[in-house]
C-alpha cells in the first residue's frame, strides 16, 4: 500500500533515510533562525515593536533545528550534508523571494517595505511549515519521540502563522495593502513551484536510499506534481488570505528557553 503513512514509516524506520530527513529539516529551521535573528536586529525605528517578536520567531526556529538534531542523536546518528536541490530556504532566496541574505549581511537598517517583504514571505512559508507539521503529526502517532517533537514544533508554526496574519493586517491598515497583496501573490506562486521541486528532490534522494523500485518512485513523483497542479489551479489562494487570528499577539511573550525534551 502506498499511503503517506507507509512512506513516512519507511523513512522513520531506516537510519540513513531518517538521518537525511532530519538533517534537511534541521538545516531549514536553522536557516530560518538565522534570517529572523538578522532581521530582528535590523528592524527600522517605525516598526520597533516588531523586533522582539521577530527575535522570538528566530529563537523558535533555532529551537526547531535543535529538536530535529536531537532526534538524530537519540538514534546515534549525526547530521549529514544537505543536498543543494533539497534546500527549500536557499532555493527561495535564490529565486528572489524574501529578503536577500546579502542584504541582511550588510547590517543596514531595513525599510518598512523590507518588513512587508519579510512578513509576506513568512506568511507563505509558515503556512507551509504549519501544514507539513500537521501532516507529520498525523503520521508519527505511534512513534512517541517523533510525535512529541512534532507536537512542539507544530504549535510554534501555528503561532508563527497567526503572528504573520496579524502583523500583515496591521500594515495593510496602515496603507501597505496593495503592496502586501501583490507580494503575497508573487511569493505564493513562486513558493508552490519551489516546494514541488524540493519535494521531488527529497523523494528522489530518499527513494535512492530506500531502494524504491522505479514504478513506486514514479507514482510518488506524480503525486507531488498533482499537488502542484491543484495549488497552481487555485490552491495557492489559501496562502495569500489574511484573517485576524483567534490567538492575538502569539509571539508577544519572552524568548523561550531550549526545548526541555530535546
Ligand atoms: Fe520552524
Ligand atoms: Fe516557523
Amino acid at each position: 500500500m502506498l499511503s503517506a503513512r507507509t512512506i513516512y514509516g519507511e523513512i522513520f524506520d531506516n537510519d540513513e533515510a531518517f538521518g537525511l530527513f532530519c538533517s534537511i529539516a534541521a538545516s531549514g529551521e536553522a536557516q530560518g533562525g538565522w534570517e529572523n535573528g538578522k532581521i530582528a536586529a535590523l528592524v527600522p525605528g517605525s516598526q520597533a515593536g516588531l523586533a522582539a517578536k521577530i527575535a522570538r520567531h528566530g529563537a523558535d526556529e533555532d529551537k526547531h533545528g535543535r529538536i530535529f538534531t536531537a532526534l538524530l542523536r537519540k538514534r546515534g546518528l549525526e547530521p549529514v550534508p544537505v543536498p543543494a536541490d533539497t534546500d527549500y530556504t536557499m532555493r527561495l532566496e535564490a529565486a528572489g523571494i524574501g529578503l536577500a541574505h546579502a542584504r541582511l549581511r550588510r547590517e543596514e537598517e531595513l525599510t518598512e517595505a523590507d518588513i512587508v517583504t519579510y512578513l509576506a514571505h513568512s506568511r507563505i512559508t509558515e503556512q507551509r511549515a504549519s501544514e507539513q507539521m500537521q501532516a507529520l503529526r498525523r503520521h508519527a502517532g505511534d512513534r512517541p519521540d517523533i510525535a512529541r517533537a512534532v507536537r512542539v514544533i507544530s504549535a510554534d508554526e501555528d503561532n508563527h502563522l497567526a503572528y504573520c496574519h496579524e502583523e500583515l493586517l496591521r500594515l495593510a491598515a496602515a496603507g501597505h495593502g496593495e503592496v502586501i497583496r501583490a507580494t503575497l501573490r508573487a511569493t505564493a506562486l513562486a513558493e508552490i513551484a519551489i516546494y514541488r521541486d524540493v519535494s521531488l528532490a527529497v523523494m528522489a534522494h530518499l527513494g535512492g536510499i530506500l531502494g524504491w523500485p522505479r514504478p513506486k518512485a514514479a507514482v510518488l513523483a506524480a503525486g507531488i506534481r498533482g499537488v502542484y497542479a491543484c495549488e497552481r489551479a487555485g490552491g495557492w489562494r489559501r496562502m495569500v488570505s489574511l484573517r485576524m487570528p483567534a490567538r492575538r499577539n502569539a509571539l508577544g511573550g519572552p524568548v523561550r528557553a531550549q526545548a526541555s525534551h530535546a
Side-chain angles (χ1 to χ4, degrees), residues 142-165:
D142 51 352
R143 292 154 211 269
D145 278 10
I146 302 174
R148 196 165 50 238
V150 167
R151 256 197 317 275
V152 171
I153 299 175
S154 179
D156 286 347
E157 305 301 10
D158 292 348
N159 282 339
H160 299 165
L161 183 57
Y163 146 83
C164 291
H165 276 274

Side-chain angles (χ1 to χ4, degrees), residues 29 61 64 153 157:
E29 299 282 6
E61 304 301 1
H64 301 168
I153 299 175
E157 305 301 10

